[in-house]
Amino acid sequence: QVQVVESGGGLVQTGGSLRLSCAASGRTFSYYATGWFRQAPGKEREFVAAISWSGGKTYYADSVKGRFTISRDNAKNTVYLQMNSLEPEDTAVYYCAVVETAQLMRFYISEYEYDYWGRGTQVTVSS
């Protein structure tokens, strides 16, 4: 079994920054890609950012491009989401998901492609 745990959420003012972390543990993966998703109250879960196992390939939703940065430290089994210039519209529960893959340069955008999910961390941006 695999455990995925997010951390780093909190309350921040408009224009502020937060860094989320996603740690995977349990069954040893050879390689896995990681994605961040979010769900605001009353809305469906949406894609935010994704990163390949190698870290060399990343992809962002248009709404966060230029403000958020996804990165990873495979030695620590941890993926990060640096969020800058936060806006009230970024308020949501942020979820991390991982998928085992043999394609080291591939990222995944669809939530249906991910195998393991964390429980989420709340991010609230006040105006």
Side-chain angles (χ1 to χ4, degrees), residues 78-123:
T78 301
V79 171
Y80 305 97
L81 184 68
Q82 178 67 44
M83 306 186 296
N84 298 329
S85 302
L86 283 163
E87 304 166 352
E89 293 73 22
D90 296 316
T91 295
V93 177
Y94 283 71
Y95 297 92
C96 178
V98 304
V99 56
E100 190 170 16
T101 179
Q103 303 179 60
L104 308 188
M105 296 292 285
R106 182 179 175 183
F107 54 78
Y108 298 78
I109 299 174
S110 170
E111 63 180 278
Y112 301 106
E113 296 179 292
Y114 286 90
D115 298 322
Y116 303 97
W117 291 79
R119 295 185 175 184
T121 185
Q122 177 70 47
V123 172

Side-chain angles (χ1 to χ4, degrees), residues 28-73:
T28 302
F29 288 116
S30 295
Y31 310 104
Y32 62 93
T34 306
W36 285 97
F37 295 79
R38 67 186 181 186
Q39 187 167 21
K43 296 187 178 181
E44 294 189 352
R45 188 161 56 189
E46 64 176 1
F47 168 79
V48 175
I51 189 167
S52 63
W53 164 257
S54 69
K57 295 290 187 181
T58 59
Y59 190 81
Y60 299 91
D62 288 343
S63 58
V64 306
K65 200 172 296 182
R67 300 188 298 123
F68 291 11
T69 302
I70 189 171
S71 61
R72 67 189 303 149
D73 182 343

